[in-house]
Amino acid sequence: MIHDNKPQEKISVLLVDDHPMVQGGLSACLAYYDDIEVIGVAHDGKDALNKAKELKPNVILMDVSMPLMNGIDATEIITEQLPDTKVLIFTMHNSSEFVHSAIQAGASGYVLKDTSSEEVYFAIKAVTKGNTHFSSSIAKMLQESPLKIENDKLTTREQVILSFVAQGFSSKDIAKKLDISFRTVEAHRRNIKAKLNIESLADLVRFAINHGLINKEGE
Amino acid sequence: MIHDNKPQEKISVLLVDDHPMVQGGLSACLAYYDDIEVIGVAHDGKDALNKAKELKPNVILMDVSMPLMNGIDATEIITEQLPDTKVLIFTMHNSSEFVHSAIQAGASGYVLKDTSSEEVYFAIKAVTKGNTHFSSSIAKMLQESPLKIENDKLTTREQVILSFVAQGFSSKDIAKKLDISFRTVEAHRRNIKAKLNIESLADLVRFAINHGLINKEGE
DNA sequence: TCTTTACTAGGTATTACTACCTAACTATTT
DNA sequence: AAATAGTTAGGTAGTAATACCTAGTAAAGA
């Protein structure tokens, strides 16, 4: 076992978040650590892409919900074009679909916004070394349902139906919109509920909101 | 016009937020300003009450959704017991009901979490002088519907019913829970929909989420 | 080729919700 | 004392959603 004790270079970090408050707070928190340097900030996915190519940071702290391009899509492009740059998702969304999408996109870790700055620091250190880091609740989620979610995922058609349902349209309305029989719509509703193990319409609406099919205002 | 140019005492601030990240970021941002000093932090409403009495800060930056006691209730008690302490609500919720509740509870201002640290600074300065400060979108909301919301507000009973409805319970279930006839529950549902001008159950669920009656996970 | 999956659609019956209506009791306000 | 608002509850009828069932077609994969 050889220890590498030479004075380490600072870990360069790019912050990507559209909320100035979060950005400011985060860079202030990270300024406390000598071995980390925030070398840039970006306000959306497109911006992140440009800054990442220009600055080639070691780690990108990436928010998910942003204007122009979301963090997952940006992560996918960045991890493909810049394999040496690690992406650490930093968000308040803790739904399993987001987590799975992030992993699929090549993220090295997933940290929730309500964790301590110490954990963010350790997560940055971990992914820099090529390891992964997931917040405890996320790790637990991955343990509990590593493949179940994948298998039970909704088809594209079902997602369309569900988004209409969650927007308040009746089966008849949806049938007209999609030009199919309302019996078909009802069949899809049954399948969706069975797949998600959900019984009430209210739970469907919350599922749709929590998984990004609609936003809180109703798409 | 007399200018008061003596070296001002620092404005003492108490931060109340259950997210360590927000707390850390905020105190780091405010540390930049010489005339502001964060003299304490609290993690929930109860904690805020104790710290406020002990530290008697000039300004309290108060989050709304917290464990044990929410920010609105804490604000009501604090503004009553400590009239010299100004409360500035600091939250991501921008629903008109929250804003009205906050004003009712005696808050001097309402700042959204996605604003810049400069605005938070100016808001703190403003409320210290006895003025008020509302984020631009909040101010616009207050202009547009100063009284409409008050008139259309749901009664406590209706809010209880709505929260159950949004959690996915049927009228029968709710009737059993509250030990009333399910016809009464249905009557309440009719009144709620009429008041809110809402037709679908899905819209009711989203309203409940957006107005804090339930959270996205379903209370 | 056979199987599976997704999407489609219908039959029948039950349950849940909604739209109208009326109306009693209580507490508060004018 | 009268009016108002909130909570309670029922009648009747219609619409929407759900729970069972079967079943065809098209596309992808073994």
Side-chain angles (χ1 to χ4, degrees), chain A residues 6-218:
Chain A
K6 76 173 179 194
Q8 285 240 332
E9 275 187 26
K10 282 193 178 186
I11 300 169
S12 57
V13 175
L14 171 64
L15 300 185
V16 185
D17 199 308
D18 58 327
H19 294 326
M21 203 66 225
V22 175
Q23 217 175 71
L26 204 46
S27 51
C29 286
L30 294 177
Y32 174 79
Y33 299 100
D34 290 335
D35 49 351
I36 288 182
E37 186 178 23
V38 175
I39 59 170
V41 294
H43 307 87
D44 58 71
K46 293 258 186 215
D47 196 14
L49 241 64
N50 296 330
K51 294 267 170 65
K53 284 179 195 166
E54 181 194 332
L55 303 169
K56 296 199 177 15
N58 299 124
V59 178
I60 299 178
L61 263 184
M62 177 84 76
D63 191 13
V64 171
S65 44
M66 288 180 297
L68 286 178
M69 183 191 285
N70 71 59
I72 304 291
D73 292 344
T75 299
E76 195 161 9
I77 298 171
I78 288 171
T79 52
E80 192 196 322
Q81 297 189 358
L82 301 169
D84 292 335
T85 295
K86 306 294 182 183
V87 176
L88 189 54
I89 302 294
F90 182 65
T91 177
M92 13 177 249
H93 299 292
N94 64 345
S95 77
S96 54
E97 295 218 343
F98 273 149
V99 177
H100 281 90
S101 302
I103 294 172
Q104 203 79 31
S108 300
Y110 200 106
V111 179
L112 296 178
K113 277 189 181 171
D114 62 353
T115 57
S116 64
S117 55
E118 283 80 18
E119 191 186 321
V120 177
Y121 170 70
F122 285 121
I124 292 174
K125 298 283 278 183
V127 301
T128 306
K129 289 174 188 163
N131 301 323
T132 61
H133 184 100
F134 293 90
S135 284
S136 58
S137 61
I138 302 294
K140 197 179 167 191
M141 182 192 295
L142 289 173
Q143 274 188 326
E144 282 173 356
S145 61
L147 47 90
K148 180 175 158 287
I149 303 296
E150 290 300 318
N151 293 341
D152 289 354
K153 221 188 311 198
L154 299 181
T155 66
T156 50
R157 195 58 158 178
E158 286 166 345
Q159 288 181 35
V160 171
I161 302 280
L162 177 52
S163 84
F164 281 127
V165 169
Q167 282 172 68
F169 294 106
S170 69
S171 295
K172 241 183 224 170
D173 293 338
I174 299 169
K176 271 179 204 157
K177 275 176 186 288
L178 300 178
D179 198 32
I180 54 179
S181 162
F182 84 99
R183 303 307 305 267
T184 305
V185 177
E186 290 185 327
H188 282 303
R189 292 177 77 133
R190 275 198 302 279
N191 292 335
I192 291 167
K193 286 186 166 184
K195 278 189 182 179
L196 303 177
N197 200 25
I198 279 177
E199 279 172 0
S200 76
L201 207 164
D203 288 332
L204 274 187
V205 175
R206 284 205 312 280
F207 179 92
I209 291 174
N210 287 332
H211 293 75
L213 291 173
I214 62 163
N215 60 31
K216 289 197 290 181
E217 282 70 44

